[in-house]
């Protein structure tokens, strides 16, 4: 068969206009070469389970101690020990709890205070969307795990390179923090008068300090650092003029604002490259 093809190709005159097309048609197709295999991306190095548990317990203990501050603040706002403990057991999101009792202590309407705390806690719903994809917990477990979706558990889970590490970090952080937060809330509410000024103990700063310590190593790119810096500016700038909890929501606008700016900058760079 190859000899017939070569003979038929030789019979075509060189000056024939269709010579090139005919030769291309009659020429045998080259044998297909091996298909290159896709190069796999870098596989994240698993973190030892003991290291994940140690880090998670450190966060749970450090932040859980700030439940003292909430118990004292809540008792000082006029809530009973039972009401204070119910907030920690059922709500379990420190910032929203502090916003609620802070507004009540300032003489705010209970419904207005509850609304502010609710909107501040909306951020946990967005955490849940991200964690549901990362953890992929069984259906029956998800309603129970939702109670532990807070700043600290999200930060610890996202800091792990593997799903197994994320599950361990989320579970250990959530369990240790939930137990200790409720115990210290009870102790703070019972011993509010004996404890005195919570600011002198520094307990009100324990939660934010630990969260910032977890967040700082994750700010690797310039865009991430811009988001964090703008969020700080917005949060502190609106703190004196907006109700408690609302500046945190305003600070959340830093991410879409920086992403919009980066998108415009990249589009301008591409247009300049195309013009050249």
């Amino acid at each position: 068969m190859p000899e017939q093809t070569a003979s038929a190709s030789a019979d075509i005159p060189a000056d024939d206009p269709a010579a090139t097309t005919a030769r291309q048609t009659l020429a045998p197709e080259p044998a297909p070469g091996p298909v290159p295999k896709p190069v796999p991306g870098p596989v994240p190095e698993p973190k030892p389970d003991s290291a994940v548990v140690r880090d998670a317990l450190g966060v749970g203990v450090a932040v859980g101690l700030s439940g003292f501050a909430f118990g004292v603040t809540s008792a000082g706002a006029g809530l009973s020990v039972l009401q204070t403990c119910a907030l920690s057991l059922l709500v379990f999101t420190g910032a929203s709890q502090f916003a609620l009792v802070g507004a009540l202590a300032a003489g705010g309407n209970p419904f207005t205070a509850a609304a502010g705390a609710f909107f501040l806690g909306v951020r946990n719903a967005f955490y849940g969307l991200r964690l549901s994809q990362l953890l992929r917990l069984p259906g029956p477990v998800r309603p129970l795990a939702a109670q532990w979706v807070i700043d600290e558990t999200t930060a610890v889970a996202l800091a792990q390179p593997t799903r197994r590490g994320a599950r361990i970090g989320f579970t250990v952080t959530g369990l240790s923090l939930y137990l200790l937060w409720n115990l210290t809330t009870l102790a703070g509410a019972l011993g509010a008068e004996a404890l005195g000024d919570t600011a002198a103990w520094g307990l009100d700063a324990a939660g934010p300090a630990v969260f910032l310590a977890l967040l700082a190593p994750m700010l690797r790119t310039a865009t991430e650092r811009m988001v964090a810096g703008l969020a700080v500016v917005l949060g502190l700038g609106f703190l004196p003029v907006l109700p408690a909890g609302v500046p945190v929501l305003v600070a959340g606008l830093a991410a879409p604002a920086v992403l919009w700016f980066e998108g415009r900058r990249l589009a301008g760079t591409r247009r300049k490259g195309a013009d050249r």
Side-chain angles (χ1 to χ4, degrees):
M1 185 66 180
E3 295 179 357
Q4 295 178 358
T5 303
S7 176
S9 177
D11 293 340
I12 299 175
D15 56 351
D16 190 342
T20 303
T21 305
R23 287 192 179 92
Q24 292 175 351
T25 304
L26 297 174
E29 296 182 0
V35 179
K37 296 181 180 180
V39 179
V43 179
E45 184 178 353
K47 192 174 181 179
D49 293 349
S50 58
V52 178
V53 172
R54 182 183 64 247
D55 295 343
L57 283 176
V59 174
V61 172
V63 180
L65 291 175
S66 60
F68 279 112
F70 172 71
V72 173
T73 305
S74 179
L79 275 70
S80 65
V81 174
L82 179 61
Q83 290 171 328
T84 299
C85 292
L87 280 175
S88 287
L89 284 169
L90 302 177
V91 179
F92 188 55
T93 170
S96 296
Q97 294 177 227
F98 275 108
L100 175 62
V101 299
L104 292 177
N109 183 282
F111 293 101
T112 304
F118 170 80
F119 284 114
L120 183 58
V122 167
R123 71 191 188 282
N124 293 337
F126 296 98
Y127 294 160
L129 294 176
R130 179 67 181 92
L131 289 178
S132 65
Q133 300 174 357
L134 175 63
L135 302 178
R136 296 185 182 179
L137 298 174
V141 180
R142 292 187 178 186
L144 299 176
Q147 178 70 358
W148 291 352
V149 176
I150 55 176
D151 298 331
E152 291 77 16
T153 56
T154 302
V156 173
L158 293 179
Q160 309 310 317
T162 61
R163 175 171 290 114
R164 174 181 173 83
R167 286 180 172 180
I168 294 175
F170 176 84
T171 303
V172 175
T173 305
L175 179 61
S176 59
L177 181 53
Y178 188 76
L179 292 177
L180 192 56
W181 176 269
N182 281 280
L183 289 175
T184 54
T185 294
L186 175 61
L190 292 175
E193 295 182 359
L195 189 60
D197 185 12
T198 58
W201 292 78
L203 299 177
D204 54 340
V210 173
F211 186 71
L212 289 176
L214 286 170
L215 179 63
M218 302 178 68
L219 303 178
R220 299 185 180 94
T221 66
T223 301
E224 292 170 347
R225 289 190 288 269
M226 287 176 59
V227 171
L230 182 58
V232 171
V233 172
L234 291 175
L236 295 179
F238 285 98
L239 187 61
V241 297
L242 292 179
V246 178
V248 176
L249 299 179
V250 176
L253 299 176
V258 172
L259 292 177
W260 176 83
F261 174 78
E262 285 293 303
R264 294 292 300 270
R265 186 181 64 83
L266 292 175
T269 304
R270 294 193 188 99
R271 282 196 298 268
K272 290 181 180 178
D275 294 339
R276 293 178 183 175

